[in-house]
Amino acid sequence: MTALLSIRDLTIDYAGHVQAVRGANLDVHLGEAVGLVGESGSGKSTLASAITGLLPIGARILGGDIAFKNESVTSGRKQAQQILRGDEIAMVFQDPMTAFNPVLTIGDQLVDFQSRMPGKAREKYARAVAMLARVGIPDPALRANSYPHEMSGGMRQRAAIAAALLVNPSLLIADEPTTALDVTMEAQIIHLFRELRQDYGGGILIVTHHLGVVAELCDRVYVMYRGEVVEEGAVDDIFHEPRHPYTRALLACDPARLHERAGYLPVITDAERATFMQARPR
Amino acid sequence: MLAYTIKRIGLGLLILIGVMFAMYAAVFIVPGNPARAALGPRATQEMIDRLTREMGLDQPYLVQVYNFFVNVLSGNLGIDVISNRPVATEIWEVLPNTLILCLVGLGWATLLAIPLGCLAVLKRGTWVDRAASLLSVSVISLPYYVVAIYALLIFAVQLNWLPAIGDGDPGDIGSQIRALILPAFAIGFTWVGYLARLVRASMLDVMGEPHIRTARAFGVPEWKIVTKYGLRIALIPTLSLLAVSLGGLISSAVFVEVIFSRPGIGKLVTAAVNLRNYPVVMGTVLVMTGIYVTLTIAADLLIARIDPRIRDAFRGA
Amino acid sequence: MPSGVLEILKRVTRDPLGLLGLVLVVIVIGAALFADAISPYDPARIDVLNKLQGPSAAHWLGTDQLGRDTLSRIIHGARVAMGIAVFSIGIGAFIGLILGILAGYGPRWLDAVLIFFFDSLSAIPLILFALTVIVILGPGTGTLIFVIALISIPVYGRLVRAQTLSLRRSEFILAEQSMGASLPRIVGIHLLPNVLGPLVILVSMDIPTVVALEAALSYLGLGVKPPTPSWGTILNDGYVSLRTNPSLVIAAGIPLVIATLGFTFFGEALRDALDPKLKGRRAS
């Protein structure tokens, strides 16, 4: 089976000196949900934004290749990535508070987000309302006419997922889709993703620092640490037999996996960190 | 929205009252009698005393202020000491002329500046952006009255394309429009740069916000992102800064009217200042400050209309 | 904050516009300082036989209605313009600084009173305010300085207040307070140096406005009184003889263009040099 998305030896640096991503390899296949985990600053979000060519100002790709459906999107013309956006690839962003334009209605924006799709504005609007209903937003016709600040955080994140599904992408990238939400909302959004996976045939890449999200949603997982992919494998394997010491440390810090009551939450100490970079499990 | 409107208008009235108190305080504190000043050095003490009484200047400070407000509320702004006509009538005759001048001047500047600011953002970092920035800075800093005089010299005196003075013949729209071109150009000149810069700066702020990234990630065309997603938000700070600077527009109208001998508030007030015609000056300042305060309120309400967040913040209040 | 003045100037001149601005500013200030030495004639010398002449070898920029040398009058006009700018901005910025710190660091009610004062003062269109004061005090250089200083106060007051407010909540001031530092120490050692940078930038941006305002009021005959040469009165002389001798009005506009553009370019470059944060927003 050939990969939908295939990243090889990707290296990205910031302002010419900090290497945010170093020689990363990653594959996403059709019908598969892949997790990309790591702590803040591990380079996971940089890697994800490189796929659609939306790297922050100052960042640039030094080497390696990103291929989508066997065609390189980094070596060709700049347009290649732009054409993919909002068509083959859709993104769900981290913060639903700021992901929508505050002075335009949700429906208006959902229509604009279908700019690569055929059809009249009226049809797109009807599609948007139907999709809002599909992601579990009550009274979707009213909500399409609402401004973002009139909706709750969870509802906005549902709307953001609706936006991504509207363009019927082959690859859906969700960048920290639950980070900005409280625990109840997070559970609902995870539930929504699981439900949607049943009739969505494309690939999903979920970027998160939350291992629980990965355990709930993903088939395979990549672990990033300091710009490198340090471990990769099926979710079950990695959760039960982590090979890299960083993965082990990360798992040990997950509050959901604590078996006994501890006085304080475990953290990764500097002494532990010193051992991570020498370790080469593969 | 209604509560917000009332609050804004209340604040505007308060500022207007504060201004009048301050101006009367200034007249009261500062040595020198406006009546004496108006009558000139050859006036006898008797004449001065009589005019002082007529103008109510012999009353205590608070009584003067009270009388003034009572008169203003009944539409009476006092009597011109030179022509003996009501000040309100004199202002009312020339006010439309000044308003048209300001409106047209600001209008053409806005129509040019907003696309210019957007273009600079679209072509960020290129020579187009740099040229637009340089143009804006130069245009802002050049004194508009020098520009007005140079324009007068070139287009009216040397080329003789447009009239140099006046506001056109009564009843002849064509000549009135021709007489408006140079003054409106001079008034709007500074504003092109000022507005283009404001639009560009607030637009650059907006373009860094996450929702712009969302729109880009969905392949919304860049021109649409700039004009629909960016401009709508960028106009909010632009409008509020614009409202604060409207006093400058009125100031420039005064000079432009003098240079082009165009009847209006500016000509009225400068002539009055030269003759020490104190009631006319006070009346004009009150009316113009009132217009300025009204415009700032209008701008604030417009901002509330554009931005649903502000609108809702005051819905319950 | 950069350390020396030289270092700042070096950064200003790295920007071509900043360099141009600096050159123009030096020309204007030089003319103001050495007006007597470099003027070809006495600016007040009347020579009716040679009135309203165009540019010539004897009079580079021609003469006015009274036969006075335009170039000499313009050079001396620089002294008047700079003098008024220095005095009025100096007074306005000083009072604004004090009121701003009072508003930002003092009790809440004082802040409210001062803000209302600033708002009211700047709610009156500048020119109308100036005209009102002039009609009461009578025209003249003193009135002009008084008016400009008065309308500058809210501008500086607001800036200093905003700076003070944000500094007041900053951690190093809170730390000083918790260690029992005295009020003069906090204001003198922490607030002032941090407020001065933005204040200097604002002053340099304010100079072209003040120069233009002085000339404007003098143009209307409400500012500097003749025979003292002001760029505004020279411009008005030129306006009066617009049809007979256009070279006078053209010459009279030039110093205003040089001074306003020069100080603006210099001020912009200075702002970029002193405050790198703002530069990104302008250049990128």
Side-chain angles (χ1 to χ4, degrees), chain C residues 39-271:
Chain C
S39 297
Y41 297 90
D42 176 355
R45 200 194 65 160
I46 297 173
D47 179 6
V48 195
L49 287 179
N50 287 318
K51 69 170 184 176
L52 288 177
Q53 284 191 342
S56 65
H59 300 281
W60 289 2
L61 294 178
T63 58
D64 66 5
Q65 288 92 332
L66 298 173
R68 294 175 297 194
D69 181 53
T70 303
L71 179 61
S72 303
R73 286 178 62 73
I74 285 176
I75 291 173
H76 278 82
R79 176 172 283 181
V80 172
M82 288 297 103
I84 289 178
V86 166
F87 269 103
S88 55
I89 294 182
I91 295 169
F94 182 70
I95 298 176
L97 179 71
I98 291 174
L99 293 185
I101 288 184
L102 277 179
Y105 209 81
R108 209 168 257 265
W109 63 266
L110 188 62
D111 186 29
V113 169
L114 286 171
I115 281 292
F116 184 72
F117 167 68
F118 293 158
D119 281 350
S120 302
L121 206 53
S122 48
I124 319 172
L126 192 148
I127 185 72
L128 292 177
F129 180 74
L131 294 180
T132 315
V133 177
I134 290 166
V135 85
I136 297 164
L137 291 182
T141 311
T143 310
L144 209 52
I145 291 177
F146 176 74
V147 169
I148 297 175
L150 203 56
I151 50 188
S152 313
I153 292 174
V155 181
Y156 293 98
R158 278 210 194 92
L159 173 91
V160 173
R161 172 185 174 270
Q163 287 281 324
T164 311
L165 272 181
S166 70
L167 282 172
R168 183 184 180 170
R169 297 192 197 98
S170 67
E171 292 189 357
F172 68 93
I173 299 246
L174 291 177
E176 277 276 346
Q177 279 174 335
S178 67
M179 287 163 71
S182 67
L183 188 67
R185 181 185 154 82
I186 291 177
V187 171
I189 299 189
H190 294 296
L191 283 181
L192 273 182
N194 278 300
V195 162
L196 278 180
L199 200 67
V200 166
I201 296 171
L202 195 61
V203 166
S204 68
M205 308 282 251
D206 210 17
I207 292 176
T209 318
V210 170
V211 168
L213 183 63
E214 179 266 312
L217 290 172
S218 300
Y219 176 90
L220 294 181
L222 302 170
V224 178
K225 278 186 185 158
T228 311
S230 153
W231 292 339
T233 47
I234 303 171
L235 192 69
N236 193 28
D237 290 344
Y239 176 76
V240 171
S241 57
L242 193 72
R243 287 173 197 275
T244 46
N245 181 22
S247 67
L248 181 57
V249 80
I250 296 173
I254 292 171
L256 281 164
V257 172
I258 288 181
T260 49
L261 282 188
F263 276 104
T264 306
F265 289 160
F266 178 74
E268 297 252 319
L270 185 67
R271 182 195 58 193

Side-chain angles (χ1 to χ4, degrees), chain B residues 14-15 18-19 23 26-27 30-31 124-125 129 133-134 137-138 141-143 145-146 149-150 152-153 157-158 164-165 197 200-201 204-205 247 250-251 254-255 258-261 269-270 272-274 276-278 281-282 284-285 288-289 292-293, chain C residues 17 116 119-129 131-132 134-139 158 205 208 211-217 219-222 235 239 242-243 246 249-254 256-257 260-261 264-265 268 271 280-284:
Chain B
L14 209 61
I15 285 181
V19 165
M23 287 184 57
V27 175
V30 165
R124 200 172 338 163
D129 184 18
S133 285
L134 180 61
V137 178
S138 314
S141 50
L142 281 177
Y145 51 89
V146 174
I149 291 178
Y150 280 179
L152 177 81
L153 182 67
V157 176
Q158 300 293 326
I165 56 166
R197 215 173 135 131
R200 180 183 179 277
L204 280 182
D205 276 350
I250 294 169
S251 299
V254 171
F255 284 97
V258 171
I259 289 167
F260 291 96
S261 293
V269 74
T270 44
V273 170
N274 273 320
R276 299 300 199 85
N277 195 342
Y278 165 78
V281 177
M282 288 300 248
T284 320
V285 170
M288 292 316 264
T289 310
Y292 169 77
V293 170
Chain C
L17 276 185
F116 184 72
D119 281 350
S120 302
L121 206 53
S122 48
I124 319 172
L126 192 148
I127 185 72
L128 292 177
F129 180 74
L131 294 180
T132 315
I134 290 166
V135 85
I136 297 164
L137 291 182
R158 278 210 194 92
M205 308 282 251
V211 168
L213 183 63
E214 179 266 312
L217 290 172
Y219 176 90
L220 294 181
L222 302 170
L235 192 69
Y239 176 76
L242 193 72
R243 287 173 197 275
V249 80
I250 296 173
I254 292 171
L256 281 164
V257 172
T260 49
L261 282 188
T264 306
F265 289 160
E268 297 252 319
R271 182 195 58 193
R281 288 177 49 180
R282 181 171 159 242
S284 72

Side-chain angles (χ1 to χ4, degrees), chain B residues 111-129:
Chain B
L111 289 183
L112 189 66
I114 290 181
L116 200 66
C118 288
L119 190 71
V121 172
L122 265 173
K123 305 269 177 195
R124 200 172 338 163
T126 66
W127 67 268
V128 177
D129 184 18

